[in-house]
Amino acid sequence: MKKLLLGDEAIALGAIHAGLSGVYAYPGTPSTEITEFIQGNEIARERGLHSRWCTNEKTAMEAALGMSFMGKRALVCMKHVGLNVCADPFVNSGMTGVNGGVVVLVADDPSMHSSQDEQDSRFYGKFAMIPTLEPSSQQEAFDMMEFAFDYSEKQCLPVLMRVTTRMAHSRAVVMVKDEARKENEKNYDAAAANWVLLPANARRRNDKVTAQQAQLEEDAAEGKWNNLSGLTGKKAPLGIIASGIAYNYVQEAGVELPILKVSQYPLPKRLVRELLDSCEKVMVVEEGQPFIEEQVRGVFESQNILGRLTGELPRTGELTPDCVAEALGIPAHRAEIPSLVAARPPQLCQGCGHRDVYTALNEVLKEYENPRVFGDIGCYTLGFLPPYKAIHSCVDMGASITMAKGASDAGQWPAVAIIGDSTFTHSGMTGLLDAVNENADITVIISDNLTTAMTGGQDSAGTNKFEAICRGLGVSEEHLHVVVPLPKNMPEITQIIRNEINYHGVSVIIPRRECIQTFKRHAKEKKQ
Amino acid sequence: MKTDIILCGVGGQGILSIATIIGEAAMNENLYIKQAEVHGMSQRGGDVQSNLRISSNPIASDLISKGGADVIISMEPMEALRYLPYLNKEGWVITSSVPFVNIPNYPEIENVKKELEKLPNVICIDIEQLAKDNGIPRSANVILLGAAQKALGIDYDKIEAAVRRVFARKGDAIVEANVKALALGKEAQS
């Protein structure tokens, strides 16, 4: 059957068709639509596949390992920075190995359309010594899922599948199978000791997985996802190594050159050598950081390996068909945007509660010398931009509270943290416990819009639980406030903020009003 | 056939529904499709665009090359100008004439229009007024699609059938409103 699918949707459907038993994920652009698709899919509902959102990527990865422990197939989805949050279970999953197949789907965001950095997840795959896949088309993404789960079980290792924004968020026609494979039966086949990473067991596993690498590399060389083509028997002036979606940009340029397409790692050195031997020079075209290029170059300068490190391709940022074509010697189309066109940055929605929170906060902070506001990850990061210009930091999920504490330790006052509801449960709670334990002189604002708004309105793990969580962590009752962020409540809100800044200890203010986007959606659903 | 289309506007203006209709029509015609969208932070009132490529032959890149677009369909006049480097020499710009002013430094609308008038192939329509006058205020984006139809390389009745399929689950009234919008757009461009 033919379907028009986003890359994310092709991945989701591929996983369902591969006999998935559960997806575990925290929303993050550009990976969110995978889990959303599974939540809405008929087969998934009939089978009762697990698809509820997790509190963060670490809890997601660990739950997936638990499902694998029981012999079933689990998918874990996240954006690239989410892999940092679950790095501990991710890397250790290479040591435990798996029973039921585990695929870790990580969506990288080169050029940072919606992110804080452009880290390349393929490094994590190599680091954890687990096989890595990088589809070049939506069809390949669909087809690869079944392979990924089979291969994961065959090698007893999790498989990392890395996609980038243009794959995740681009639609194409995909041929899908009519039949979905059955789920695995529950079993206890896993070698029990693999799951207990005491040093003696971990050492044994480490030897095993290290020894397995040669086989994984040979599989990548032999398998259908990597392909060396265009060799003529004569030495070509230029050959190409292109991975994942970058392969398409080379195809688009329409050049006829020997080309090694790479979609499965470890990097098959045998094929690389074959290409190098038949070309004067080789250009490496890859989306993200120079992962393949550095491996091919080694530590020495080589005039024969071209790519991001030598300036033929831009050192950072997303590839485009234009920059790839230019690197291949095709003259670029030159045209300018008319100078009157003004930048139009994203902004908080009209009617958004975060707006009222920033209005109140700014009004109060005017009264102090050098106030500092530590921000976090979410829509409210846009409070950095005019007209609010309200935050001084945004580093990673949860860093608002801990940075405010550290700054306070260093003598900063007022030190205010502003964090969203979903970000707070993702990674803010532990930091709040640190602050409570030392009664740090900080004011924490948990701006609760009852959803994970930035990624499109997914459930937020702590909804209806925030006061209880704060009390449980030891925030005192008299310094815990809930307000409704609306212009009419400004006098009350500003007075509470002022009082709590002047209180020299931990206080938590929870402005709570539903996200205007989900509010509109819910109103529409009611009408229908 | 091969048509490379850039759809653009401001987050929330409904460019993805236009893409859905074209995609539906193209798939029904057994054409190859690639459509790159923008999700996430930029959807919040910022500039948004989608690259939509349809072709009777396989398509390699999800993104359109500079100078490669055959059509720019824009829900906002200044946003249409933002993507001009992608337009080919014979390409068409089909845009709403109604500015969406959510930034303090939005240029004089007269200057935006002058810039548009410099283009050889441009259709600039007040789709919002047209939609209001005809009692279909929520279908302005489909009026724009109707105006763009000729430039797409897909027959009008195929697009109309796609409109019917895409809106079917929302009921007859909404289907008819959008079919009417499509016809209004077609009329407005000729």
Side-chain angles (χ1 to χ4, degrees):
Chain A
M1 196 186 358
K2 272 194 335 187
K3 280 178 180 283
L4 184 58
L5 296 175
L6 277 182
D8 276 350
E9 295 169 346
I11 288 160
L13 194 58
I16 294 168
H17 279 240
L20 184 76
S21 290
V23 60
Y24 295 89
Y26 182 79
T29 312
S31 70
T32 313
E33 295 81 357
I34 302 169
T35 304
E36 286 185 324
F37 184 91
I38 296 173
Q39 288 170 344
N41 178 270
E42 212 170 307
I43 303 171
R45 249 186 266 161
E46 267 167 31
R47 292 185 173 184
L49 307 186
H50 179 277
S51 63
R52 273 189 62 169
W53 292 107
C54 301
T55 303
N56 67 33
E57 293 84 355
K58 180 172 181 287
T59 67
M61 180 74 210
E62 291 157 350
L65 288 179
M67 185 165 263
S68 165
F69 180 96
M70 296 306 298
K72 300 206 170 199
R73 293 185 163 186
L75 173 66
V76 195
C77 306
M78 65 198 75
K79 67 182 295 168
H80 57 343
V81 288
L83 190 48
N84 302 330
V85 177
C86 84
D88 200 0
F90 174 78
V91 175
N92 287 346
S93 71
M95 290 295 97
T96 59
V98 303
N99 180 16
V102 172
V103 177
V104 181
L105 188 293
V106 184
D108 291 356
D109 188 20
S111 275
M112 299 172 272
H113 298 277
S114 225
S115 303
Q116 303 81 43
D117 68 39
E118 57 177 19
Q119 66 186 61
D120 188 324
S121 300
R122 294 176 298 172
F123 286 96
Y124 264 110
K126 189 168 191 296
F127 183 50
M129 296 192 286
I130 70 172
T132 301
L133 300 172
E134 192 186 7
S136 66
S137 69
Q138 292 79 353
Q139 182 70 55
E140 209 168 63
F142 177 87
D143 296 339
M144 252 182 195
M145 257 312 161
E146 186 174 18
F147 167 80
F149 278 109
D150 289 348
Y151 194 60
S152 169
E153 285 170 5
K154 184 175 170 207
Q155 295 297 335
C156 295
L157 285 172
V159 168
L160 172 67
M161 189 185 285
R162 182 242 189 184
V163 297
T164 55
T165 307
R166 298 301 172 185
M167 165 63 65
H169 284 172
S170 180
R171 277 175 216 280
V173 179
V174 178
M175 283 299 294
V176 305
K177 293 183 310 181
D178 294 326
E179 287 285 305
R181 176 191 180 277
K182 277 203 188 104
E183 288 177 67
N184 285 358
E185 294 294 327
K186 195 167 81 175
N187 73 65
Y188 293 94
D189 290 347
N194 287 358
W195 295 99
V196 184
L197 291 180
L198 274 170
N201 292 335
R203 277 183 215 117
R204 185 165 40 75
R205 275 292 297 168
N206 191 39
D207 289 344
K208 165 97 170 72
V209 176
T210 306
Q212 229 173 322
Q213 297 302 304
Q215 183 60 50
L216 298 182
E217 187 180 321
E218 189 47 33
D219 288 349
E222 283 296 314
K224 64 174 171 178
W225 310 114
N226 294 342
N227 182 25
L228 178 58
S229 63
L231 298 183
T232 57
K234 278 192 303 188
K235 204 146 189 154
L238 183 68
I240 305 286
I241 301 174
S243 73
I245 204 154
Y247 177 74
N248 302 337
Y249 300 143
V250 176
Q251 296 297 103
E252 185 74 20
V255 289
E256 290 200 9
L257 296 169
I259 181 164
L260 172 60
K261 169 183 176 286
V262 178
S263 286
Q264 183 180 350
Y265 306 84
L267 183 68
K269 288 193 280 292
R270 181 160 67 75
L271 299 185
V272 172
R273 184 157 299 124
E274 208 178 321
L275 180 73
L276 256 56
D277 286 346
S278 46
C279 301
E280 303 282 350
K281 293 185 176 187
V282 165
M283 185 181 292
V284 183
V285 188
E286 56 191 323
E287 190 67 292
Q289 294 171 320
F291 175 73
I292 297 175
E293 194 177 340
E294 282 181 347
Q295 290 184 63
V296 174
R297 286 172 72 91
V299 289
F300 300 106
E301 288 296 313
S302 162
Q303 292 174 338
N304 299 329
I305 308 296
L306 312 174
R308 287 188 185 265
L309 294 169
T310 50
E312 274 75 17
L313 289 162
R315 179 64 183 80
T316 60
E318 197 179 29
L319 294 175
T320 62
D322 304 303
C323 73
V324 172
E326 205 172 350
L328 294 171
I330 298 163
H333 174 88
R334 301 264 172 236
E336 298 294 324
I337 300 173
S339 58
L340 63 78
V341 175
R344 199 189 298 260
Q347 49 187 260
L348 291 168
C349 305
Q350 294 302 323
C352 167
H354 296 315
R355 282 181 176 259
D356 300 308
V357 172
Y358 281 127
T359 302
L361 187 60
N362 280 350
E363 192 182 319
V364 175
L365 291 179
K366 275 193 303 209
E367 300 160 13
Y368 297 85
E369 206 176 319
N370 288 323
R372 287 292 179 269
V373 179
F374 300 90
D376 225 301
I377 310 275
C379 292
Y380 49 94
T381 315
L382 295 170
F384 172 73
L385 302 174
Y388 299 107
K389 299 187 184 171
I391 62 171
H392 300 95
S393 76
C394 165
V395 178
D396 72 321
M397 297 285 280
S400 57
I401 297 174
T402 31
M403 276 190 72
K405 180 189 175 294
S408 165
D409 292 346
Q412 169 61 31
W413 182 81
V416 178
I418 180 156
I419 184 167
D421 50 318
S422 185
T423 306
F424 177 72
T425 42
H426 179 288
S427 289
M429 299 192 291
T430 44
L432 183 57
L433 183 59
D434 278 352
V436 166
N437 284 344
E438 296 182 31
N439 199 24
D441 188 0
I442 64 171
T443 306
V444 178
I445 298 174
I446 304 173
S447 196
D448 180 7
N449 57 8
L450 305 168
T451 190
T452 312
M454 176 94 276
T455 46
Q458 294 74 26
D459 291 341
S460 171
T463 297
N464 297 328
K465 300 187 185 80
F466 289 100
E467 293 90 314
I469 291 170
C470 291
R471 279 187 209 112
L473 291 172
V475 176
S476 74
E477 198 65 47
E478 60 269 39
H479 298 290
L480 176 61
H481 306 270
V482 178
V483 297
V484 180
L486 280 169
K488 65 173 183 181
N489 299 335
M490 262 326 131
E492 180 206 351
I493 301 170
T494 48
Q495 193 52 46
I496 288 173
I497 295 175
R498 191 176 295 113
N499 290 348
E500 293 308 334
I501 286 173
N502 293 339
Y503 164 66
H504 295 292
V506 175
S507 36
V508 175
I509 303 166
I510 308 176
R512 176 175 296 138
R513 179 155 70 80
E514 188 181 1
C515 163
I516 195 77
Q517 296 291 344
T518 59
F519 176 78
K520 282 183 193 161
R521 200 184 308 157
H522 291 150
K524 216 171 164 184
E525 282 165 7
K526 259 188 208 157
K527 238 171 89 182
Q528 278 171 357
Chain B
M1 68 83 71
K2 179 180 88 66
T3 311
D4 285 345
I5 306 155
I6 289 178
L7 295 145
C8 55
V10 181
Q13 281 191 315
I15 63 163
L16 289 184
S17 352
I18 302 180
T20 304
I21 298 166
I22 301 174
E24 169 69 26
M27 197 158 99
N28 213 47
E29 291 298 288
N30 284 318
L31 297 172
Y32 290 91
I33 304 165
K34 286 229 170 179
Q35 187 206 333
E37 300 172 2
V38 177
H39 296 198
M41 185 176 259
S42 41
Q43 281 179 301
R44 304 273 172 271
D47 56 277
V48 289
Q49 51 84 18
S50 172
N51 282 199
L52 175 55
R53 314 188 70 193
I54 50 181
S55 172
S56 44
N57 293 311
I59 303 162
S61 168
D62 295 77
L63 297 178
I64 296 169
S65 302
K66 285 194 175 142
D70 303 293
V71 196
I72 292 174
I73 302 178
S74 180
M75 290 293 291
E76 209 280 345
M78 184 184 78
E79 293 307 322
L81 298 174
R82 195 184 302 280
Y83 303 95
L84 286 184
Y86 289 89
L87 192 66
N88 69 37
K89 278 194 204 119
E90 295 82 38
W92 280 84
V93 172
I94 292 107
T95 181
S96 163
S97 64
V98 188
F100 188 103
V101 183
N102 64 345
I103 46 172
N105 54 337
Y106 193 96
E108 286 295 324
I109 184 63
E110 287 316 312
N111 294 337
V112 172
K113 286 188 176 158
K114 268 183 215 153
E115 203 65 51
L116 282 167
E117 281 159 13
K118 288 184 197 166
L119 302 169
N121 303 314
V122 63
I123 298 172
C124 187
I125 303 174
D126 187 342
I127 52 169
E128 289 178 22
Q129 193 60 47
L130 203 54
K132 262 185 223 151
D133 290 349
N134 286 278
I136 47 168
R138 300 185 63 93
S139 302
N141 55 352
V142 179
I143 297 182
L144 196 66
L145 172 62
Q149 176 266 324
K150 262 194 188 167
L152 297 181
I154 303 179
D155 293 343
Y156 182 83
D157 53 346
K158 303 278 163 57
I159 300 274
E160 191 196 284
V163 167
R164 289 184 184 280
R165 286 195 298 276
V166 166
F167 290 102
R169 63 182 182 85
K170 295 192 170 173
D172 288 346
I174 291 181
V175 169
E176 290 313 318
N178 284 293
V179 167
K180 183 175 171 185
L182 194 73
L184 282 168
K186 185 189 182 201
E187 211 175 294
Q189 61 91 37
S190 52

